[in-house]
Amino acid sequence: MILDDQTIGLVGGTGMLGKSIAGAILEQHVIPPERLWISNRRGAGDAFADHAGVHVTTSNQELADACDIIILSVPPASVASTLIDASDKLIISVMAGVSLDQLAKITWADRIVRAMSSPAARMGLAFSPWCATAEVTANDRVCISSIFEACGLSDEVECEEHIECFTAMTGPVPGFVAFYAKAMVDYAIGKGLPPEIADRAIRQLFLGAGTVMSSSSMTPAEHVEQMIDYAGTTAAGLEAMERSTIALDIAKGLDAAVARTRSIA
């Protein structure tokens, strides 16, 4: 959806996540380039050279003064550097571990959204859950949905605890998938396959599996059940994994990521 009367600013808009969200907003024509502001301590350089009209500043406050919607996308350790007076603006934070209370203190705003997304936003493949303060309006929700749907899929969730859970999954999932893929590549190499073929094969297999699962109406659990019911080679492998501790070990990894989310800021 095009936001006809809104100006959007990204604080930290040249970082990996901020740049991906900005790119999605521009490429999906949510707003024209002249209504996008980017702030960064070093300036944007040529990051938005393909989008003439984007405003670039090194001043977070200048951005806040010019924009209706402000997206905060800086590392959690740098949260103190985002102090702005934006009391009448809509604030959307994609900073891991920064609470709604903290966001209110650094922005003086009431209409605040705590969200999570990923660099896959640039390809329209991110999942961006969010929760909001009571002051966020129906019109604000339209704007929020327009921004995050340009990045992929999005849902409003009930509370910050849910955002913490998704933060722990959104960041680790690419790493967890890469870890599993590495284990499969190592297995193939151990069986004598050339490393370059093993690497290429596993990349393609994961791409295909993800595409099939995302386009199917079945849940992941139903996919597993279907494969086990088929009683073929996949079933033998799945049954062996179900007898192992792999599910518990994945849960431990996610618990560790949640704990880090709650302490990182």
Side-chain angles (χ1 to χ4, degrees), residues 1-3 8 20-21 23-31 71 92 94 115-118 120-130 138 140-156:
M1 177 178 177
I2 298 173
L3 301 181
I8 299 175
S20 296
I21 294 172
I25 289 170
L26 291 170
E27 288 169 14
Q28 295 301 315
H29 307 290
V30 176
I31 56 171
I71 302 173
I92 302 173
V94 291
M116 182 45 54
S117 193
S118 76
R122 187 60 182 265
M123 298 176 283
L125 295 174
F127 177 69
S128 306
W130 53 276
D140 290 337
R141 283 178 161 80
V142 172
C143 295
I144 296 159
S145 295
S146 296
I147 291 167
F148 284 133
E149 287 173 5
C151 300
L153 299 179
S154 180
D155 282 301
E156 182 175 4

Side-chain angles (χ1 to χ4, degrees), residues 173-219:
V173 158
F176 284 15
V177 171
F179 183 86
Y180 194 99
K182 176 182 178 298
M184 294 185 70
V185 170
D186 290 345
Y187 174 84
I189 293 171
K191 296 298 182 182
L193 282 164
E196 64 276 11
I197 293 179
D199 180 80
R200 198 163 86 100
I202 297 304
R203 287 173 185 264
Q204 186 68 13
L205 291 169
F206 271 66
L207 173 62
T211 301
V212 167
M213 189 162 59
S214 70
S215 62
S216 172
S217 61
M218 291 194 299
T219 66

